Amino acid sequence: MRTAPHTQHPTAPARRVPQGARCLVIGWCAVACGCLLVAALGLSGAALADSMSLSLAPEPVEELTSQITWTATSERGTFTVVAVNNPGVPCAATPKADNGTTVTPGHLLEPGNSGAYTGTTNYTPPSTGAYTVCGWLELPAGLLETDGGPVTVATSLPLDVRLPHISLALSFPRRPAPGKRFTLDLLSSSEVEREVVVEGIPYTRRGCPVNYAADDAQHLVDVNVTGGPWRSAVNVSPLRTGARYIFCAWADPPTDDGLYPEATTSLLLDLAHRRQHGRR
């Protein structure tokens, strides 16, 4: 039996990439790598771009201190400037041109802050209203200047200041009787210090005066209240049969001489029908 002779196949030659194709591949890689490098540099630049944000806590209340906090990122050494502008006054482009109250300290011959950082400052609103908190990052202006350098970023935050929560309540622990002394109770509380005045006057259709400065009646109660609730009790002189009296209470800032009450209440005493009516 004859075996067929083994035939050896020649090795196939390696495929050669045309020179033009190789150039295209190398060129594509260069473009792709270049794009990645540019993208990386762009992301790095974005990460270092100056930024600033503001926050405030607790809720702003007239004459109650709140804390303003800023968070900033700066590529170079910058100073943080924060101001509070009165209602209706917008933030200016630079701290030097702004008309608000600056609440951060000045600076002199300091390098400033760079990278990411935070800081705080306190502010006590003097009255209610829609204020604006203004913030800037500015570069040092020079060795002889304390501020006024170029601003790298600016931001703002609305600051709506409300009245303090105040509570006033008048009551009689026992029903008053004609011709006998009786007790009047005041229960009061306030978030911030307030002067509370109570008067008793003959009842008219006008009710209580707009404030206690509008008459010269005797002050049955005159106390400064913070926090609470606090109870104040006063003994009232006897009233005749048929008398109709109204007891009025006002809560004012201690420095306004009773002109601008922020809370009021009243209690009517009618000894003709032995009825008492409260009104807030």
Side-chain angles (χ1 to χ4, degrees):
M1 182 175 180
R2 298 178 63 183
T3 303
H6 176 71
T7 302
Q8 185 176 4
H9 297 282
T11 303
R15 296 182 61 186
R16 300 180 61 188
V17 178
Q19 183 70 25
R22 281 187 294 174
C23 291
L24 288 174
V25 171
I26 294 173
W28 180 86
C29 290
V31 171
C33 292
C35 291
L36 290 175
L37 180 59
V38 170
L41 291 175
L43 290 176
S44 175
L48 292 175
D50 288 7
S51 64
M52 183 181 185
S53 62
L54 297 165
S55 62
L56 183 135
E59 179 187 14
V61 179
E62 178 186 61
E63 298 181 17
L64 192 65
T65 299
S66 293
Q67 187 175 77
I68 300 172
T69 300
W70 62 84
T71 301
T73 302
S74 179
E75 185 175 1
R76 294 169 290 175
T78 56
F79 298 114
T80 302
V81 182
V82 176
V84 179
N85 286 13
N86 287 335
V89 180
C91 299
T94 65
K96 198 168 186 178
D98 195 67
N99 291 320
T101 300
T102 303
V103 292
T104 45
H107 47 266
L108 177 64
L109 304 180
E110 299 171 21
N113 298 295
S114 59
Y117 60 94
T118 63
T120 61
T121 188
N122 292 333
Y123 179 68
T124 305
S127 59
T128 60
Y131 295 76
T132 303
V133 183
C134 309
W136 304 266
L137 297 184
E138 65 175 9
L139 296 170
L143 296 179
L144 300 179
E145 298 181 64
T146 57
D147 53 19
V151 170
T152 65
V153 69
T155 189
S156 63
L157 176 72
L159 184 65
D160 295 322
V161 181
R162 64 167 174 83
L163 285 171
H165 291 311
I166 303 171
S167 175
L168 302 174
L170 294 170
S171 64
F172 301 119
R174 294 181 180 83
R175 177 176 294 182
K180 295 184 179 180
R181 295 176 66 87
F182 58 93
T183 300
L184 175 67
D185 273 357
L186 165 69
L187 195 65
S188 59
S189 63
S190 177
E191 282 186 289
V192 297
E193 184 181 10
R194 287 294 178 262
E195 180 186 18
V196 179
V197 171
V198 177
E199 294 179 354
I201 59 176
Y203 173 77
T204 67
R205 290 185 179 181
R206 291 179 298 177
C208 291
V210 64
N211 55 52
Y212 72 76
D215 61 41
D216 56 358
Q218 177 187 3
H219 292 183
L220 300 176
V221 177
D222 190 344
V223 295
N224 282 16
V225 174
T226 307
W230 306 104
R231 177 178 178 267
S232 303
V234 60
N235 291 323
V236 183
S237 300
L239 299 175
R240 61 177 176 81
T241 302
R244 300 186 75 194
Y245 261 68
I246 186 169
F247 294 91
C248 309
W250 303 267
D252 294 76
T255 57
D256 82 340
D257 298 321
L259 295 175
Y260 305 104
E262 295 176 338
T264 63
T265 192
S266 64
L267 179 64
L268 176 63
L269 173 61
D270 188 349
L271 292 178
H273 301 91
R274 300 177 66 86
R275 292 200 307 262
Q276 299 85 42
H277 308 280
R279 182 175 60 193
R280 185 172 297 276

